[in-house]
Structures are given as structure tokens and as C-alpha cells.
Amino acid sequence: MKVLHYLLGLIFSISMILVLLVTSIEAVLYWSPGYFEKEYHKYQVTDEIDIEMDDLLHVTDVMMDYLKDKREDLQVVTRVGGTQRTFFSQRELDHMVDVKNLFIAGLNLRRGCLLLAVVSAGLLYFLKGKLSSILPRAMCVGTGLFFLAACLLAAIVSTDFTKYFTVFHEIFFDNDLWLLNPNEDLLINIVPEPFFVDTAARIAAVFGGSVLLLLAACLLSLYCSKRNKRCHQNNTIGTVM
């Protein structure tokens, strides 16, 4: 029974870590005021494609709403180079369908992991497992292992971001629509590779910080639980004597 208890604890742990990962991505992309504008200024995007910042931010808002399925299409008309035009080419629109599907899959994964975490904790309670002991222990093990794996992955990717950025696309996309031409497609100009480097680093920082906070909370919980147990044993011994 103990093995089942710890297995359920581990499932809870992994589920919550994946929830934190997806939430970290969403936090950077959606909950960081001025992030895109700051990056656009940093890489002089408006000069690169000859567009006003307000127009570019409008395009960005449309794009981010589209990724969250808050709008059905990505058709947006704006002024580029002094001329009114549709911002995205057909190839970009087709690629963004794939990006949207991937983003929605991530949000669905988070919902599934939250449900799995609740179910595993519920089963643990039903099977008379000690939640205050098993879950913090499992979270410590799970977050520790996942954090080490994430650090190892970050170290590998940092050796050649371009290479592993390509590998990422080859794994998650089953076509070559992501191979855009900077001379024809505006999307690759507003979010160049350095933008993804910055974004990946920011996500890693947010995720790493949240994992460390969770780990610290689990260690504190275990310490308090152990201290209370020791005090209870001392009080019991004192009563017997």
C-alpha cells in the first residue's frame, strides 16, 4: 500500500510541475506588461519592417488573442511601409494554425494535469494515505528531479540555441511552414531568433523560481511535520513518566 501511496504522490508532483511549466509560459507571454514592446525596441523591429509601434502592438494583440482561441482568424490589416496591407502572408497564416494548436494543446495539458493532481490526491486520501507527509515528500523528489532535468536541458540548449530551436520545430511540427523567408514574411522579422532566446530565458527564470518556491514550501512543511511529531512524542513520554 505504501508503494501505491508514493506512486500517487509522484503523479501529483509531476502533474503540478507541468502545471507550473505551462503557467510560466503563459505568464511571460500574457502577464508581463510591456514585454513585447520592450523586445521590439530592443531589436529595432519597427525600423526593420517600417511600421509604427502602435500598429505593431495591435497586430501583436490580435496574434496573442488568436493563439488563445479568442478570435477565429488572424486576418489583420495595418500600415507597413506607408501602405495598407494584410500583415500576414498565407504561409504565415497556415503556420500560425499549427502554433495555435500547439498552444491550445499546452493549455489542455494544464487542465488535464490539474484534474490528475486532484484525482491522485483524492485517491490518496481515500486510501488512508497521510497527505501532510506523502505529498510534500513526493513534491520534493519530483521537483528536485524535474529541476535537475530542466537545468541539464537548459545547459544543452544554451550550447547551440539555433540547432535546438530547429529540433524543437521538427519535433512539434509535421511540415515546413515554420521555415519563413525574412525578405517576404513579416512574422520572422517581428519575432527574430534573439526574441525567442530572451523569451526562453525569461520562461526558465519564472519556472525555475516557482519550482524553487514550491520546493522550499515542501521542505518547510516536512520540517514542521517532523518537529510536531517530535514534540508530540516528547509530550507522550512526559505524560507516561
Side-chain angles (χ1 to χ4, degrees):
M1 187 61 73
K2 282 188 176 181
V3 173
L4 180 57
H5 286 173
Y6 285 111
L7 177 60
L8 288 171
L10 190 59
I11 291 173
F12 177 89
S13 172
I14 294 173
S15 297
M16 291 306 299
I17 291 170
L18 290 174
V19 168
L20 286 178
L21 176 59
V22 176
T23 302
S24 296
I25 296 172
E26 185 179 21
V28 170
L29 296 179
Y30 287 91
W31 306 342
S32 302
Y35 177 67
F36 282 93
E37 184 174 3
K38 178 182 176 183
E39 289 291 298
Y40 292 153
H41 277 303
K42 181 177 180 179
Y43 297 111
Q44 302 177 328
V45 171
T46 53
D47 295 334
E48 185 71 25
I49 64 175
D50 192 12
I51 187 174
E52 294 295 324
M53 180 60 76
D54 287 344
D55 292 331
L56 181 53
L57 292 176
H58 171 65
V59 171
T60 303
D61 288 340
V62 170
M63 180 172 65
M64 300 311 291
D65 283 346
Y66 174 76
L67 291 180
K68 268 199 167 183
D69 206 21
K70 291 184 177 180
R71 56 178 295 143
E72 294 182 1
D73 63 70
L74 197 52
Q75 295 290 348
V76 55
V77 177
T78 190
R79 185 173 293 275
V80 179
T83 305
Q84 288 285 116
R85 54 158 288 180
T86 54
F87 191 88
F88 296 104
S89 68
Q90 188 57 52
R91 185 178 182 85
E92 290 171 303
L93 292 174
D94 292 339
H95 173 54
M96 289 303 291
V97 171
D98 294 334
V99 175
K100 177 181 180 178
N101 290 336
L102 182 61
F103 196 86
I104 295 300
L107 296 179
N108 288 334
L109 173 65
R110 181 173 62 184
R111 294 188 189 99
C113 286
L114 279 172
L115 178 61
L116 190 58
V118 171
V119 170
S120 58
L123 284 174
L124 193 56
Y125 177 80
F126 178 76
L127 295 172
K128 308 300 182 182
K130 191 176 181 182
L131 298 181
S132 62
S133 174
I134 296 174
L135 291 185
R137 243 176 241 283
M139 289 299 298
C140 284
V141 173
T143 53
L145 292 176
F146 202 92
F147 189 70
L148 288 175
C151 288
L152 178 60
L153 179 62
I156 293 173
V157 172
S158 66
T159 61
D160 190 343
F161 185 86
T162 301
K163 173 185 175 181
Y164 293 105
F165 190 56
T166 299
V167 171
F168 169 86
H169 281 80
E170 291 174 342
I171 291 173
F172 289 99
F173 300 109
D174 59 0
N175 53 56
D176 64 354
L177 293 173
W178 57 275
L179 293 171
L180 302 175
N181 184 345
N183 296 319
E184 299 176 1
D185 304 307
L186 296 179
L187 180 60
I188 195 173
N189 288 295
I190 68 172
V191 286
E193 186 176 299
F195 167 85
F196 287 103
V197 174
D198 291 349
T199 302
R202 195 179 182 98
I203 290 171
V206 173
F207 176 62
S210 62
V211 169
L212 287 176
L213 284 175
L214 182 59
L215 183 59
C218 291
L219 290 173
L220 179 61
S221 176
L222 287 174
Y223 170 78
C224 291
S225 178
K226 190 173 182 180
R227 184 179 180 182
N228 290 337
K229 183 178 180 180
R230 189 183 302 119
C231 289
H232 177 72
Q233 289 175 340
N234 291 338
N235 289 337
T236 302
I237 293 173
T239 302
V240 172
M241 293 177 63

